[in-house]
Amino acid sequence: MKFRTLAVGLGISATALLVIPGSGATASVEAPQAQPRVQQGPNKVAKRYLDQKPVWKQCGDPELRTYCAKIAAPRDWSNQYSGKDIQLAISKVAPAKGKPSRVVFGNPGGPGAAGLGMAPYLASQKELAKDHLTVGFDPRGTGDSDNVTCEGAPGYTMDARDRDPWNLDLISEASRLTGPYCARQSRGLLPYVNTAQTVQDIDLIRQLLGFHKIDWVGYSGGTWLGAYYQTYFPGHVGRFVLDSNTDFTRPWLDTFSAQPQGFERRFREDFASWAAKYDAKLKLGSSPRLVIRTYERLRADLKKQPAVEEFLDGSVKISYDQNALDNIVAGDMYTKMDFPSLALDLAFLRELSAAQSKGGPRAAQRKVDELPMARQRQLVERATRHMVGLAPFGLRQSGGQLGRPFAESAENATFTAVTCNDTAWPQGREVGDQLAARLGPRYPLLGWGMNENPCFYWDRPRLEMPVPTGKGLPTTLMVQSVHDPATNISLAKSAHSRYAGSRLLTITGEGDHGIYGGVNKCADKIVNTFLTTGKAPAEDTTCAGEGIPAPTAPYSTDYAEGAPLGRVAGFTRAISGYLR
């Protein structure tokens, strides 16, 4: 499906009109309040930042060969002499032998995902490790860099499918209150957590490392960040790989408006078909339609009577309701390696709900207590995990236990700050409610939650950034799977059509979010050739997907370790915290 631009003329006049495709409706758009203007081009770096000498220390196990450091950067690059600095965490891995001839930066997206693990992850790619210095960093706002937080902000505990006016009022109020909570908790940093500031942080790191040009591997939100770095610093652009693409040539609203279709397609055409194929083992339904029916019936049962259970000898309490179920399903769409775990969880939740309906809470608790401790630990980990990569707006809280898209986590707060600060959004609840009403019936997994978004109420800084065009740049290699849930292929095609000199590598028969690094041998070969030799495909090309493997037992969260973004997150956990 092709998505047209939703944001028209934002921030140009005092009031503009937003046309919702297919709805025949318009909504007023308020111009951003007057605030200090951020210039479109990069700022000249003050000498005191360039004179820094990073102090590198080993982080993580010695076998990772990873060193980390912190550097100072101005909180506001357009006001470097204010005396208000922030600290940025960076990581590097040098070749095992000899000096590096090139440097490659990595970013796992989010936006807002901690990225120190990108250095050892990229160094684990043998072709790159030979002569590249691999570099990771935690973007401003997240990880071991100075943090922002939205701690205490109200979450979305309501059911997005409920269209009663009182429920829509609650959703609107929760969205409206998120921004003030974030601003108050983030001690003045929040307006400066945006892409215009972050790309200048990246170029400071480049200069301190002593390289004239950088290569780049950016996943998901890292495609947006990479394209903007190219736009701000075209003279320092080497070989850029943009994997699982946002439409970085359009406002953020376009990317998120395309997600409901992407997730629904992945769930119905990939997961449900796979589960039906192996129904003899999984017992979720013998056809895709019946698998979807299993999910819908379970969702209705959990909404009517949530299951609140204690895990790990009572140390953790988890509430499973319709929101928890939706979060688990959506979270497992990013990689096919999570499909077996999702199938197992759906079967367990169906049994749990049936036990509670028949025998009450004690009967349900007995089901939990019968599980091995390893399985209980797996359920807790999966139920409380955070998204990696471009997370969909609208993930909802459940019983105060799950989801928490805009509280506690610096990654989630940075995600919110970047996406709300970077590009203008229509202001007020009307647009979000109309999007939800239009997309919900067609794509119910996420579509009903389109109004669960604080950006519709955000006090945005008066930020102006140049639109990436690709003009005058070396070839950019874009990589995209056809059924990617988080970054719909329509976004990659849209950006590619407007990004001069780009080549699009499409992975057919594939839906994973994050391809380079083990998902597809054909794609890895093309990407590694490009990164190590500079040779890009002469024209757009494709690789055939390698299929979804049969379910294996025992099921384990170790499946996630095989996906590129899962491995990056694992590396990040292994080397984080050494600079505190």
Side-chain angles (χ1 to χ4, degrees):
M1 177 177 179
K2 183 178 180 181
F3 286 85
R4 291 174 290 170
T5 301
L6 296 180
V8 181
L10 303 185
I12 296 176
S13 60
T15 303
L17 288 179
L18 178 81
V19 179
I20 308 297
S23 72
T26 61
S28 63
V29 178
E30 299 176 4
Q33 297 180 3
Q35 294 189 30
R37 184 182 298 271
V38 176
Q39 67 184 59
Q40 288 201 345
N43 298 271
K44 184 178 180 181
V45 183
K47 185 174 183 294
R48 69 188 185 93
Y49 297 112
L50 294 175
D51 287 343
Q52 295 181 84
K53 297 188 182 302
V55 178
W56 297 96
K57 62 183 296 185
Q58 191 170 70
C59 47
D61 292 337
E63 65 183 17
L64 296 177
R65 300 189 297 108
T66 304
Y67 288 81
C68 301
K70 279 194 174 182
I71 62 171
R75 184 177 74 172
D76 179 7
W77 274 100
S78 63
N79 190 13
Q80 299 178 48
Y81 301 96
S82 66
K84 296 179 179 179
D85 288 350
I86 62 171
Q87 295 290 308
L88 301 174
I90 56 179
S91 60
K92 68 176 183 179
V93 179
K97 297 180 180 179
K99 292 184 178 181
S101 61
R102 303 184 69 90
V103 61
V104 57
F105 283 54
N107 179 264
L116 290 181
M118 286 297 303
Y121 170 73
L122 290 173
S124 72
Q125 310 302 314
K126 294 181 180 179
E127 292 81 356
L128 285 183
K130 293 178 182 178
D131 65 352
H132 274 79
L133 179 71
T134 62
V135 175
F137 62 97
D138 288 344
R140 57 172 58 210
T142 192
D144 285 349
S145 296
D146 279 9
N147 281 184
V148 291
T149 178
C150 301
E151 180 66 37
Y156 301 112
T157 59
M158 57 291 291
D159 186 355
R161 295 191 187 188
D162 187 345
R163 308 309 290 171
D164 285 346
W166 65 269
N167 196 58
L168 295 178
D169 289 344
L170 287 175
I171 292 172
S172 175
E173 189 66 7
S175 298
R176 185 184 68 80
L177 288 173
T178 298
Y181 270 93
C182 298
R184 181 165 59 250
Q185 299 283 56
S186 298
R187 302 176 302 282
L189 180 56
L190 194 71
Y192 307 103
V193 177
N194 59 60
T195 298
Q197 300 282 347
T198 302
V199 293
Q200 294 178 90
D201 295 340
I202 295 169
D203 202 62
L204 173 62
I205 298 170
R206 174 194 66 79
Q207 294 182 71
L208 293 177
L209 292 174
F211 286 86
H212 180 64
K213 292 185 177 182
I214 68 170
D215 298 338
W216 179 269
V217 175
Y219 296 97
S220 189
T223 65
W224 180 283
L225 188 58
Y228 274 95
Y229 180 86
Q230 290 179 305
T231 303
Y232 274 76
F233 299 100
H236 301 294
V237 171
R239 303 158 186 169
F240 271 51
V241 176
L242 308 182
D243 186 327
S244 304
N245 293 263
T246 61
D247 187 349
F248 42 79
T249 68
R250 298 293 192 188
W252 273 117
L253 178 57
D254 288 60
T255 289
F256 291 111
S257 296
Q259 282 192 328
Q261 187 215 22
F263 275 89
E264 199 74 28
R265 177 174 55 202
R266 177 70 157 162
F267 182 44
R268 291 175 178 271
E269 297 184 23
D270 291 356
F271 174 78
S273 296
W274 172 85
K277 180 179 179 181
Y278 297 104
D279 180 55
K281 184 170 189 176
L282 303 177
K283 303 186 186 310
L284 295 177
S286 58
S287 70
R289 182 178 58 84
L290 292 177
V291 173
I292 299 300
R293 180 183 293 180
T294 296
Y295 154 73
E296 290 289 352
R297 286 178 173 173
L298 177 58
R299 190 183 193 281
D301 290 342
L302 291 174
K303 179 178 181 178
K304 182 179 179 180
Q305 189 176 18
V308 182
E309 313 301 340
E310 293 183 351
F311 290 80
L312 303 177
D313 292 333
S315 61
V316 179
K317 181 179 288 188
I318 294 179
S319 174
Y320 292 106
D321 64 4
Q322 75 284 348
N323 292 337
L325 178 65
D326 287 350
N327 287 348
I328 291 171
V329 171
D332 284 344
M333 293 300 99
Y334 287 79
T335 168
K336 57 184 173 291
M337 294 182 181
D338 280 342
F339 283 9
S341 293
L342 175 58
L344 186 66
D345 288 354
L346 289 175
F348 168 73
L349 289 175
R350 182 174 57 187
E351 293 176 5
L352 191 68
S353 178
Q356 179 164 274
S357 178
K358 185 177 181 179
R362 289 187 179 181
Q365 185 62 53
R366 284 195 294 271
K367 282 284 185 183
V368 172
D369 294 340
E370 291 170 358
L371 296 173
M373 294 298 286
R375 173 62 175 144
Q376 292 190 38
R377 187 172 293 107
Q378 180 197 54
L379 285 165
V380 170
E381 290 174 352
R382 286 169 50 74
T384 58
R385 67 185 168 181
H386 293 294
M387 297 297 101
V388 176
L390 190 70
F393 276 118
L395 288 185
R396 291 170 287 284
Q397 288 188 36
S398 174
Q401 298 290 334
L402 305 178
R404 298 192 176 184
F406 309 119
E408 293 190 350
S409 169
E411 291 195 2
N412 289 328
T414 302
F415 169 89
T416 304
V418 171
T419 53
C420 295
N421 283 337
D422 272 7
T423 58
W425 290 72
Q427 294 297 286
R429 64 182 288 180
E430 183 179 0
V431 172
D433 284 352
Q434 290 174 347
L435 278 172
R438 181 172 67 86
L439 297 176
R442 299 162 70 184
Y443 316 119
L445 182 61
L446 288 185
W448 291 112
M450 286 301 295
N451 54 346
E452 296 182 341
N453 187 336
C455 296
F456 291 125
Y457 306 83
W458 198 257
D459 185 15
R460 180 176 176 264
R462 191 147 182 103
L463 172 63
E464 294 183 2
M465 300 192 300
V467 176
T469 66
K471 293 179 180 178
L473 293 173
T475 299
T476 298
L477 181 59
M478 300 173 64
V479 183
Q480 187 70 37
S481 69
V482 294
H483 278 189
D484 188 320
T487 50
N488 197 316
I489 190 172
S490 64
L491 302 169
K493 291 180 177 179
S494 174
H496 171 52
S497 70
R498 285 185 293 275
Y499 210 58
S502 61
R503 298 284 187 276
L504 181 59
L505 168 58
T506 303
I507 317 302
T508 61
E510 178 58 74
D512 274 18
H513 181 69
I515 296 297
Y516 172 61
V519 172
N520 186 275
K521 294 182 180 65
C522 168
D524 285 352
K525 182 177 180 180
I526 292 172
V527 171
N528 281 323
T529 297
F530 176 65
L531 288 171
T532 56
T533 70
K535 183 179 180 180
E539 56 187 17
D540 295 347
T541 189
T542 63
C543 287
E546 298 177 6
I548 304 174
T552 56
Y555 300 114
S556 168
T557 51
D558 288 343
Y559 281 108
E561 297 302 313
L565 290 176
R567 296 208 305 277
V568 171
F571 278 120
T572 297
R573 288 191 297 269
I575 67 172
S576 295
Y578 287 84
L579 298 174
R580 297 172 185 168

